[in-house]
Amino acid sequence: MKLISGMAFPKNYCLLFRCFAAAVLCLSLVGCQETGKKNRFSLWKDDSKEEIAVPAWFTADSAQKLGLRLDSLFKQFKKKRGFNGTVLVTKYDQVIYKGAFGFADFYRKDSVTVQTAFQLASVSKQFTAMAIMLLQEEGELNYDDSVQQYLKNFPYKGITIRALLTHQSGLSNYTYFADQLWPDRKKPLTNKDVVQLMVAHQPKPYFKPNVRFDYSNTGYSLLASIVEEVSGMSFAKFLQERIFEPLEMTHTFTYSVDMATLTGKIATGHTRNRQKRTTDYLDTVLGDKGIFSTVEDLYKWDQALYTQKLVKRETLQEAFTGSRPFKKQEEDYGFGWRIKPLPNGDTAVYHGGLWHGFSTYLLRNPKDHSAIIMLSNLPNGSLSYLEEIRQFLYPAPDSVKQTLAMKGKR
């Protein structure tokens, strides 16, 4: 067999080469079509973190002192107020305190660790909003699209995806109307069931859409259904493939009836009297709740939001932008995030949650890249003392303190 050198290719070799090149091109086009939705916008994905200036006073020594003070505060919460759960606090992207208190299961006396997963309750809503933002950025939907474009026979007109995100749909709460319309409480209720109940029975809305803010679990369950309709996969799978896996949130998952088969520690919800809470037919509805995670995984989530690994910064910024038509309230709401001024004048985004024996809280301050993450499986009111933590981490300037003191004397 003779070796072919230079450019002297016989005609049959040229023909063979052209056929091979055409085959490669066709295969690459097919591959692009099959994975287009996942890879189409991957070129701009950016893992680099948004940088902020770290002040000279924030040193390893000062961070350690902050951590020791926080440890003292949380030990007081545990001793005097019965805090049971896990906590992680950051400042300038650094973990300055991490702790675990009490039991994952009071009956078994199974101690909580920072690797214990808790039901996030309404803290789950920020992940639902992110799922919608991913699809919006990829051109699969628009915030101002009608819900009726995606959910067949949806009986309520004039409700947009944006209205669902910002709690301005006016829809009645599915946890209430399901009590009346779902006859078999032993049969789990799904997101599709919620939609079908609304189609079949048309529960009366509380008010017309876009009139005012009214916190709505129904709205976020519908957003999960829209994600399923648009993506062609289950909501749980979408979150896993598009958010949890890319961020290496290995201890984060959604509720399912066979959740007990999962490995790793999972906290049990309790009543305030430390009695075990059992799950019921409402637990299987996702979007408004239903995500389990750990403080360490939520720290990964917090840090990822300072990058463009999931969505562009301008896309995320809309989630942190207020939406209430009347601005008299101290707080506002974006997409899955509450917006609140801190004592020092910074603006934080946060969310709390309460569901079936779990009480949760996640606050982020983009100004200094700090976060407070608290997860509890004992809703005894101990998280109501968070104001002390906020005052400690974000103290009001002396001028503000003097003004408040003068008002108190009047």
Side-chain angles (χ1 to χ4, degrees):
M1 178 177 175
K2 293 182 179 180
L3 294 176
I4 300 172
S5 60
M7 298 299 292
F9 285 94
K11 290 183 179 180
N12 59 336
Y13 279 100
C14 289
L15 180 61
L16 181 64
F17 179 79
R18 288 172 182 173
C19 290
F20 176 75
V24 170
L25 178 61
C26 289
L27 286 173
S28 65
L29 288 174
V30 170
C32 288
Q33 288 176 351
E34 289 179 349
T35 61
K37 288 186 178 180
K38 183 175 286 188
N39 297 331
R40 186 167 36 169
F41 291 88
S42 62
L43 293 176
W44 61 260
K45 298 296 185 181
D46 184 5
D47 290 349
S48 61
K49 187 179 294 182
E50 174 187 309
E51 299 294 337
I52 59 166
V54 179
W57 67 263
F58 187 75
T59 62
D61 183 57
S62 63
Q64 183 181 32
K65 288 179 180 178
L66 283 171
L68 290 172
R69 177 60 179 145
L70 285 166
D71 186 56
S72 177
L73 285 171
F74 278 101
K75 283 179 177 176
Q76 289 180 34
F77 286 171
K78 168 63 179 172
K79 184 177 180 180
K80 297 181 179 180
R81 296 160 183 173
F83 173 67
N84 191 93
T86 56
V87 58
L88 186 147
V89 180
T90 71
K91 196 86 167 174
Y92 297 107
D93 296 314
Q94 302 299 313
V95 176
I96 60 172
Y97 181 68
K98 183 166 57 174
F101 302 87
F103 298 109
D105 187 319
F106 280 90
Y107 179 76
R108 297 179 180 178
K109 302 298 182 184
D110 183 16
S111 297
V112 167
T113 75
V114 290
Q115 286 83 38
T116 302
F118 291 73
Q119 155 77 270
L120 297 186
S122 286
V123 172
S124 303
K125 288 181 170 69
Q126 57 202 251
F127 294 95
T128 305
M130 176 58 75
I132 292 290
M133 287 189 284
L134 283 164
L135 293 172
Q136 185 273 339
E137 201 167 72
E138 294 171 3
E140 300 295 334
L141 55 78
N142 291 305
Y143 298 139
D144 296 315
D145 288 344
S146 168
V147 174
Q148 291 178 317
Q149 291 180 230
Y150 303 98
L151 303 182
K152 293 180 180 179
N153 302 317
F154 188 71
Y156 305 95
K157 296 180 179 181
I159 297 176
T160 63
I161 291 174
R162 187 185 300 275
L164 299 182
L165 286 166
T166 59
H167 298 287
Q168 295 183 48
S169 69
L171 293 170
S172 56
N173 195 328
Y174 80 87
T175 61
Y176 298 153
F177 66 68
D179 273 345
Q180 300 174 347
L181 303 174
W182 193 249
D184 186 358
R185 302 299 172 81
K186 293 181 181 180
K187 181 182 177 182
L189 186 74
T190 67
N191 289 68
K192 288 183 179 179
D193 293 327
V194 172
V195 175
Q196 289 171 1
L197 287 177
M198 299 181 80
V199 171
H201 300 278
Q202 300 187 24
K204 186 178 180 181
Y206 295 146
F207 52 86
K208 293 180 179 180
N210 302 313
V211 172
R212 61 185 176 88
F213 176 92
D214 187 72
Y215 191 80
S216 175
N217 288 314
T218 304
Y220 271 76
S221 73
L222 293 174
L223 288 170
S225 293
I226 291 171
V227 170
E228 292 185 333
E229 183 66 27
V230 173
S231 68
M233 64 178 75
S234 71
F235 183 64
K237 185 178 181 181
F238 185 92
L239 293 181
Q240 196 66 40
E241 291 189 2
R242 301 298 306 275
I243 300 177
F244 303 155
E245 287 180 4
L247 301 187
E248 299 181 0
M249 297 173 68
T250 54
H251 295 91
T252 303
F253 50 89
T254 50
Y255 177 85
S256 65
V257 292
D258 60 348
M259 191 176 65
T261 63
L262 296 172
T263 57
K265 282 194 171 185
I266 303 175
T268 299
H270 296 80
T271 68
R272 63 182 300 110
N273 296 321
R274 301 186 178 185
Q275 298 299 309
K276 186 179 293 187
R277 280 295 305 260
T278 56
T279 58
D280 63 28
Y281 75 106
L282 293 170
D283 280 281
T284 38
V285 178
L286 303 177
D288 59 320
K289 56 178 171 25
I291 294 176
F292 284 69
S293 190
T294 66
V295 289
E296 292 184 332
D297 268 11
L298 290 175
Y299 171 57
K300 294 178 182 178
W301 163 248
D302 162 69
Q303 290 294 286
L305 296 182
Y306 292 118
T307 73
Q308 298 185 99
K309 189 167 187 176
L310 295 176
V311 294
K312 297 176 183 177
R313 287 194 176 92
E314 50 266 35
T315 300
L316 183 62
Q317 189 56 44
E318 191 162 6
F320 300 153
T321 302
S323 61
R324 293 192 182 185
F326 302 104
K327 302 296 183 181
K328 292 182 180 179
Q329 299 92 341
E330 185 183 52
E331 293 192 9
D332 211 326
Y333 202 96
F335 295 170
W337 292 92
R338 296 183 184 272
I339 304 163
K340 177 185 180 71
L342 292 169
N344 66 352
D346 294 346
T347 298
V349 292
Y350 83 100
H351 218 292
L354 184 66
W355 179 256
H356 284 186
F358 292 93
S359 184
T360 59
Y361 183 83
L362 193 162
L363 177 144
R364 304 177 71 247
N365 180 3
K367 183 74 175 291
D368 63 1
H369 283 206
S370 62
I372 305 170
I373 306 169
M374 294 176 65
L375 306 176
S376 175
N377 59 336
L378 185 65
N380 58 355
S382 58
L383 265 64
S384 65
Y385 296 97
L386 274 163
E387 184 60 30
E388 290 185 34
I389 302 299
R390 291 191 291 265
Q391 290 284 356
F392 170 68
L393 289 173
Y394 314 108
D398 290 337
S399 58
V400 175
K401 292 178 182 178
Q402 291 172 0
T403 301
L404 293 175
M406 291 298 292
K407 288 182 178 180
K409 291 179 181 180
R410 292 176 183 175

